[in-house]
Amino acid sequence: MGTKTIENIEGQFEMFQILNENGEIVNEEAMPELSDEQLQELMRRMVYTRILDQRSISLNRQGRLGFYAPTAGQEASQLGSQFALDKEDWILPGYRDVPQIIWHGLPLYKAFLFSRGHYVGNQADGLNVLSPQIIIGAQITQTAGVALGLKKKGKKNVAITYTGDGGASQGDFYEGMNFAGAYSAPAIFVVQNNRFAISVPVEKQSAAKTIAQKAVAAGIQGVQVDGMDVLAVYKAVTDARERAINGEGPTLIETMTYRYGPHTMAGDDPTRYRSEDQDSEWEKKDPIVRFRKYLESKNLWSEEKENEVVDKAKEEIKAAIKKADSTPKQKVTDLISNMYEELPQNLREQYEEYSAKESK
Amino acid sequence: MAQMTMIQAITDAMRTELKNDENVLVFGEDVGQNGGVFRATEGLQKEFGEDRVFDTPLAESGIGGMSIGLALTGFRPVPEVQFFGFVYEVMDAISGQMARLRYRSGGSFHAPITVRSPFGGGVKTPELHADSLEGLMAQQPGLKVVIPSNPYDAKGLLISAIRDNDPVIFLEHMKLYRSFRQEVPEEEYTIEIGKAEVKREGTDITIVTYGAMVQASLKAAEELEKDGISAEVIDLRTVSPLDIDTIIGSVEKTNRAIVVQEAQKQAGIAANVVAEINDRAILSLEAPVLRVAAPDTVFAFSAAEDVWLPDHTDIIEKATQVVNF
Ligand SMILES: Cc1ncc(C[n+]2csc(CCOP(=O)(O)OP(=O)(O)O)c2C)c(N)n1
């Protein structure tokens, strides 16, 4: 009886897809309502973000950026989901989710400052975004809290959070879903299943066949989506958002995706745990390639358009790096100032000590 | 003897104990096929199999709790917390549970667990990777907290930790992992937990320290020598329990001391060492015992790390102040 139950449940989590690898619509009735301009905008953002990733990697190699977690391969999952949001919705990102907060309004130079370990890069400036969370899972319970807060304040907004397949093993993941479910809070939990938590394959994280099915135990909606299909991701998040603000509770969305690059730029070597075959199999599913095919078939995209985006991205990245370079150097006194609303005696003393040191 | 980095010495210690005792298990995030994010477990899964050396799901509290369960069934777990800033995720399993198992069960059970974890500044990590949290651990009765400062000690101390029948928190400073090599015997040897080492003899002042600050203190001692100040440097090696005899013996000889730690000044190991010296050797002191420590903020965002971390110049300044008191 037990085995039958689990099989019944697992059978219900088939991957939701709209646009297949060849750029063909395979699920016409699920097609979201998007204008031609919106479709082009989605493409623009994905191309831009791919360039940003390439530039960030090379800037890191030149020692001009610090901590960086590559994003190539995950554009549809990251940007399709953010595109479904309202500007007032909250984003609680993980360390790899910098693109979402940039498209939610974080200036590019701040993303670079975050990477360099400069506190100015973490300042939200009135945006409803937190800086990328380093502790895996911590953002998930906080999301339940933000969502509950939005509900209590009567806002028609949601809180969305991101983690990876590894993150779905943390206790905080279960607690966050369970709390949001218990309060019917308007939260969206996105698990970007890129198959690996650093080196550990998703099969070793859990006996569960899908991550989406973990929603069942929390009593909330769960869906598995083709994370290389920007239309499917957009649609799934749009629907989840709609339900959430209608008081129908949170949703867990598992996006099936892949990170092409290393885990971070701090010495990870994917050849130790992934095969080239697996890499190339996933590259065939590329979110940008398939969406380009689709848009070209509708005469909405061209090489010329794409080059324009690439050039613009490069230009803006250059300008943002310049701006980051010209930001005043971070001082220990800045760190001291940000510790409490009012400095206690020990920090007042240390403030004096370090301002003397740092003005030398 | 082989020349080894500290990380190689650590791998070697685990290999030695995996060979010696079939109940030793090594596990954690990425420790299996990947050999750990710093390669501390490089080659161990291949050599000892997936039964003995394995990856866990990504959940520190799970790793801690499972370690206790494995200990209860006769194993000697050596879990890794990938970076020690993540220890907050496993605080209950460590401080609330494994530290109390012997006590709570009236001696029926014990927890022969060695929690290994990298920590320490100077390597520009993102937040919550580099924090010096040994003070938090040292505040928990029931735990031993070990911090090696060099490859030779790392191997001997880790073997002792794994053989210890009580839980040991074994903290590995990231900056020391590959910063220098040292002669390390290929055969097994142990260094007693709870024993400090006098790294340099001196007559004018005692510098009590541990971890990466040992190198900085030795460098400071060399420069102080040029100014005619003879400094004795003590490497605690175990920060809980403290080696009171070595500390007090030295202070009774030099009559002056400073305590150097990379951690923030508030609370912490240095404060405890100062208190012990005051309790036991106040009449030997010619000057107050001062501390060199980081300021009382959260660990610096990396762009300000270099100024935030104490270095040999801070040590020279404090030592001179105490000598000239
Ligand atoms: C609490 C905690 N444990 C461990 C880590 C170290 N770490 C950083 S990323 C990572 C793997 C995460 O994998 P996954 O959740 O699948 O996300 P991905 O990196 O693939 O996007 C680990 C173990 C951390 N940052 N926080």
Side-chain angles (χ1 to χ4, degrees):
Chain A
M1 194 185 105
T3 42
K4 192 122 199 274
T5 309
I6 188 74
E7 277 159 12
N8 286 345
I9 287 172
E10 276 168 358
Q12 318 218 340
F13 289 89
E14 264 175 42
M15 187 175 81
F16 172 61
Q17 187 186 56
I18 295 176
L19 189 67
N20 72 9
E21 283 178 46
N22 307 320
E24 300 152 353
I25 300 291
V26 291
N27 191 350
E28 190 69 53
E29 72 258 44
M31 189 63 192
E33 279 177 40
L34 286 165
S35 67
D36 288 352
E37 289 70 36
Q38 284 176 308
L39 290 170
Q40 286 166 325
E41 178 61 15
L42 266 174
M43 183 61 179
R44 201 177 77 74
R45 291 183 180 196
M46 289 204 290
V47 171
Y48 190 112
T49 305
R50 180 71 58 91
I51 297 295
L52 175 60
D53 184 63
Q54 290 164 358
R55 291 295 303 142
S56 300
I57 288 172
S58 67
L59 285 162
N60 173 285
R61 292 203 171 117
Q62 298 159 27
R64 299 182 68 197
L65 278 187
F67 172 72
Y68 182 69
T71 59
Q74 298 189 204
E75 291 88 352
S77 168
Q78 297 185 320
L79 305 177
S81 56
Q82 190 281 329
F83 201 64
L85 303 180
D86 178 83
K87 179 90 187 167
E88 293 301 311
D89 290 343
W90 280 74
I91 301 182
L92 289 86
Y95 47 83
R96 203 181 302 285
D97 305 309
V98 174
Q100 294 96 306
I101 60 175
I102 290 173
W103 291 109
H104 213 59
L106 187 82
L108 199 47
Y109 84 98
K110 291 211 162 196
F112 292 147
L113 287 173
F114 160 75
S115 165
R116 290 178 178 179
H118 193 304
Y119 78 101
V120 167
N122 289 12
Q123 289 178 322
D125 291 343
L127 294 171
N128 290 342
V129 298
L130 292 193
S131 55
Q133 177 60 249
I134 298 299
I135 293 301
I136 294 173
Q139 71 275 32
I140 305 174
T141 45
Q142 294 170 19
T143 298
V146 173
L148 179 59
L150 291 170
K151 182 178 170 181
K152 284 184 184 294
K153 294 268 184 192
K155 296 261 164 68
K156 290 282 172 212
N157 285 105
V158 301
I160 190 169
T161 192
Y162 297 87
T163 191
D165 38 295
S169 295
Q170 282 283 28
D172 278 355
F173 173 72
Y174 299 93
E175 294 174 29
M177 283 196 300
N178 190 56
F179 270 55
Y183 294 113
S184 197
I188 301 173
F189 303 101
V190 179
V191 175
Q192 300 189 72
N193 180 352
N194 64 13
R195 319 296 306 169
F196 290 89
I198 309 186
S199 71
V200 180
V202 62
E203 293 77 17
K204 286 195 179 169
Q205 289 290 341
S206 175
K209 290 265 177 339
T210 67
I211 292 171
Q213 78 196 58
K214 297 189 179 192
V216 174
I220 71 173
Q221 295 289 341
V223 54
Q224 188 188 70
V225 180
D226 182 349
M228 307 303 253
D229 170 2
V230 73
L231 297 175
V233 174
Y234 173 80
K235 171 69 172 157
V237 177
T238 303
D239 289 354
R241 189 177 182 281
E242 182 106 352
R243 281 195 302 274
I245 56 180
N246 288 338
E248 292 164 53
T251 301
L252 168 64
I253 298 173
E254 176 187 16
T255 61
M256 307 304 280
T257 182
Y258 205 70
R259 102 174 115 72
Y260 296 161
H263 169 67
T264 68
M265 296 305 293
D268 179 50
D269 173 10
T271 63
R272 292 172 77 95
Y273 54 83
R274 288 195 318 212
S275 69
E276 255 173 58
D277 283 356
Q278 192 175 11
D279 288 353
S280 54
E281 185 197 314
W282 275 91
E283 275 162 30
K284 281 190 217 132
K285 301 181 200 277
D286 189 79
I288 296 179
V289 171
R290 76 169 79 170
F291 200 50
R292 184 189 292 123
K293 278 190 190 146
Y294 169 68
L295 291 187
E296 280 174 352
S297 77
K298 295 186 57 160
N299 277 324
L300 290 175
W301 201 252
S302 62
E303 206 179 317
E304 202 185 337
K305 274 208 170 64
E306 182 140 341
N307 288 337
E308 266 171 42
V309 179
V310 172
D311 291 345
K312 183 150 188 266
K314 287 185 175 162
E315 223 170 87
E316 289 182 2
I317 292 164
K318 221 172 168 181
I321 280 288
K322 233 177 160 176
K323 189 156 182 198
D325 288 345
S326 65
T327 305
K329 197 170 171 294
Q330 174 176 256
K331 294 188 166 151
V332 172
T333 47
D334 296 325
L335 308 179
I336 293 177
S337 303
N338 286 326
M339 283 307 301
Y340 295 96
E341 186 172 13
E342 249 181 74
L343 290 189
Q345 179 267 339
N346 57 333
L347 284 174
R348 284 203 303 272
E349 239 174 66
Q350 289 168 16
Y351 189 95
E352 294 308 317
E353 189 187 320
Y354 281 87
S355 43
K357 229 185 199 178
E358 289 178 318
S359 60
K360 264 189 221 158
Chain B
M1 271 206 265
Q3 287 280 328
M4 288 189 202
T5 59
M6 192 167 94
I7 195 126
Q8 288 169 329
I10 285 166
T11 313
D12 199 45
M14 282 188 274
R15 182 181 295 114
T16 304
E17 287 312 281
L18 280 160
K19 256 190 220 150
N20 275 339
D21 181 350
E22 63 181 18
N23 286 317
V24 170
L25 301 177
V26 170
F27 52 88
E29 295 157 10
D30 303 286
V31 307
Q33 177 156 342
N34 203 35
V37 292
F38 288 102
R39 313 287 177 249
T41 52
E42 173 88 49
L44 296 182
Q45 182 174 74
K46 212 165 181 190
E47 192 174 341
F48 297 97
E50 266 200 71
D51 253 10
R52 311 262 327 268
V53 179
F54 50 94
D55 288 324
T56 62
L58 202 171
E60 288 75 15
S61 68
I63 292 171
M66 187 173 79
S67 298
I68 296 169
L70 287 165
L72 287 169
T73 47
F75 289 96
R76 201 168 273 281
V78 186
E80 176 180 289
V81 173
Q82 197 166 81
F83 290 89
F84 205 55
F86 312 157
V87 73
Y88 297 114
E89 295 282 315
V90 57
M91 264 322 250
D92 181 61
I94 292 177
S95 292
Q97 308 301 326
M98 63 179 81
R100 298 165 192 242
L101 189 61
R102 181 186 295 281
Y103 167 84
R104 183 183 292 152
S105 67
S108 309
F109 302 114
H110 61 280
I113 299 168
T114 302
V115 179
R116 286 184 42 251
S117 190
F119 81 108
V123 286
K124 307 255 179 209
T125 55
E127 218 195 326
L128 281 154
H129 283 62
D131 303 51
S132 287
L133 302 173
E134 65 277 9
L136 277 183
M137 295 293 114
Q139 219 212 337
Q140 177 59 53
L143 300 177
K144 298 179 184 178
V145 186
V146 173
I147 304 183
S149 71
N150 60 70
Y152 179 86
D153 285 358
K155 179 171 172 181
L157 286 165
L158 184 51
I159 291 176
S160 294
I162 296 172
R163 293 181 186 175
D164 202 288
N165 282 334
D166 287 305
V168 178
I169 310 300
F170 192 88
L171 300 177
E172 305 164 2
H173 199 293
M174 285 184 263
K175 190 128 196 230
L176 298 176
Y177 267 158
R178 294 187 167 85
S179 61
F180 63 98
R181 285 169 192 273
Q182 211 179 25
E183 295 274 308
V184 175
E186 266 146 280
E187 57 276 16
E188 60 178 80
Y189 61 93
T190 57
I191 293 174
E192 196 182 333
I193 290 176
K195 276 270 173 290
E197 187 190 17
V198 177
K199 298 296 282 190
R200 181 185 201 279
E201 300 215 20
T203 52
D204 298 331
I205 183 167
T206 300
I207 304 177
V208 181
T209 188
Y210 58 94
M213 287 294 120
V214 172
Q215 291 298 321
S217 298
L218 288 170
K219 190 168 170 194
E222 264 172 47
E223 305 221 348
L224 287 164
E225 188 79 60
K226 292 181 200 147
D227 294 333
I229 297 171
S230 162
E232 178 144 311
V233 177
I234 294 178
D235 176 1
L236 288 173
R237 303 197 289 198
T238 298
V239 298
S240 182
L242 287 173
D243 180 353
I244 298 291
D245 290 346
T246 301
I247 299 168
I248 300 303
S250 174
V251 172
E252 283 173 347
K253 179 177 79 174
T254 63
N255 310 115
R256 289 182 166 84
I258 61 170
V259 190
V260 181
Q261 68 180 17
E262 183 179 311
Q264 294 88 337
K265 192 174 183 186
Q266 63 183 55
I269 304 299
N272 194 30
V273 173
V274 174
E276 292 289 353
I277 295 172
N278 284 340
D279 282 355
R280 296 164 194 270
I282 193 95
L283 296 178
S284 305
L285 290 176
E286 303 273 357
V289 182
L290 300 185
R291 284 173 286 168
V292 174
D296 293 330
T297 72
V298 168
F299 189 93
F301 289 119
S302 58
E305 197 173 328
D306 296 342
V307 185
W308 189 89
L309 289 166
D311 65 12
H312 69 284
T313 61
D314 301 311
I315 301 170
I316 292 168
E317 197 184 310
K318 274 278 143 67
T320 310
Q321 206 180 325
V322 167
V323 170
N324 294 336
F325 179 79

